[in-house]
Amino acid sequence: MKMEAMEVLKNRRAIRKFKAEQIKDDELNAVLEAGTFAPTGHGSQAVKIVAVQSPEYRNRVSALNASILGADMDPYYGAPTIVLIFETEGSYTPGFDGPAVTTNIVNAAYAAGLGSCWIHRCKQMFETEEGKALLKEWGLPEDLRGSCSVALGYADCEQPQPKPRKEDYIVRV
Ligand SMILES: Cc1cc2nc3c(=O)[nH]c(=O)nc-3n(C[C@H](O)[C@H](O)[C@H](O)COP(=O)(O)O)c2cc1C
């Protein structure tokens, strides 16, 4: 599927109901690769993207996020893939690089025909003992800083409509 860039940027919406069916490898690869081409301060690429697809790890990440949220629900809305975005040592612009990568990922997901939802609390998740245990099991440094996470899968709902944009969103001087 190929879409015009402006169409993607304006029509992507947060999806909060996913099919259980796993996405195809080429779809995942396209989305992750788009993340790696996001802008980063000084071009440091000081970001690590972790795609979680094993049901065991997917459910552990979901449970960890839910425990921070303090709610008995799946914060990833049943999505079979969770993408975790971390900032690494060497970032010139910590706090900015991870969200830049995440924005590419959610837009690329829509362009690839997938549903996605940006999910909060990644920073807190990987400050916990359980988060650090996961990093260790994945063979990743325990000092990676959680930045953002994304629920990824096939949408199991109609495409949501955007809210009207604020009248005073843009100022031209
Ligand atoms: C920093 C950030 C954190 C978000 N965290 C969550 C979240 O934890 N759960 C959720 O359902 N949506 C989350 N969202 C998605 C927003 O709620 C969504 O983007 C917003 O309502 C606008 O809808 P749209 O993306 O369809 O335009 C987050 C979005 C951003 C940018």
Side-chain angles (χ1 to χ4, degrees):
M1 181 183 299
K2 192 164 187 285
M3 279 190 219
E4 294 296 332
M6 286 302 200
E7 187 190 339
V8 171
L9 296 176
K10 288 176 69 175
N11 293 337
R12 177 220 53 81
R13 299 274 72 80
I15 297 299
R16 297 193 175 87
K17 191 163 188 262
F18 292 90
K19 295 181 180 167
E21 180 188 351
Q22 187 54 277
I23 61 172
K24 297 181 181 64
D25 273 353
D26 61 338
E27 293 166 335
L28 177 64
N29 290 339
V31 168
L32 301 178
E33 186 185 28
T36 71
F37 280 89
T40 53
H42 268 238
S44 67
Q45 300 182 38
V47 174
K48 184 77 80 188
I49 305 170
V50 178
V52 181
Q53 290 196 304
S54 107
E56 184 212 326
Y57 285 133
R58 182 247 174 258
N59 291 340
R60 278 176 66 184
V61 170
S62 171
L64 179 54
N65 196 307
S67 73
I68 292 161
L69 180 61
D72 184 18
M73 51 96 70
D74 173 10
Y76 295 93
Y77 304 110
T81 297
I82 295 173
V83 182
L84 302 169
I85 296 96
F86 296 88
E87 291 179 351
T88 66
E89 282 303 314
S91 173
Y92 280 82
T93 46
F96 297 88
D97 297 331
V101 168
T102 307
T103 301
N104 263 28
I105 286 174
V106 293
N107 284 314
Y110 182 60
L114 301 174
S116 73
C117 190
W118 186 316
I119 305 297
H120 199 45
R121 297 168 291 281
C122 191
K123 178 175 185 291
Q124 299 93 311
M125 281 201 286
F126 290 93
E127 289 169 348
T128 64
E129 288 306 312
E130 166 68 352
K132 295 201 178 299
L134 284 167
L135 291 173
K136 197 170 178 187
E137 287 178 45
W138 298 338
L140 294 169
E142 287 174 52
D143 62 354
L144 283 184
R145 292 186 293 263
S147 174
C148 307
S149 72
V150 175
L152 193 62
Y154 298 122
D156 192 17
C157 58
E158 295 295 310
Q159 175 70 4
Q161 293 303 306
K163 286 186 191 161
R165 301 294 98 178
K166 294 190 302 181
E167 293 285 348
D168 60 350
Y169 215 137
I170 297 169
V171 177
R172 294 172 62 135
V173 294

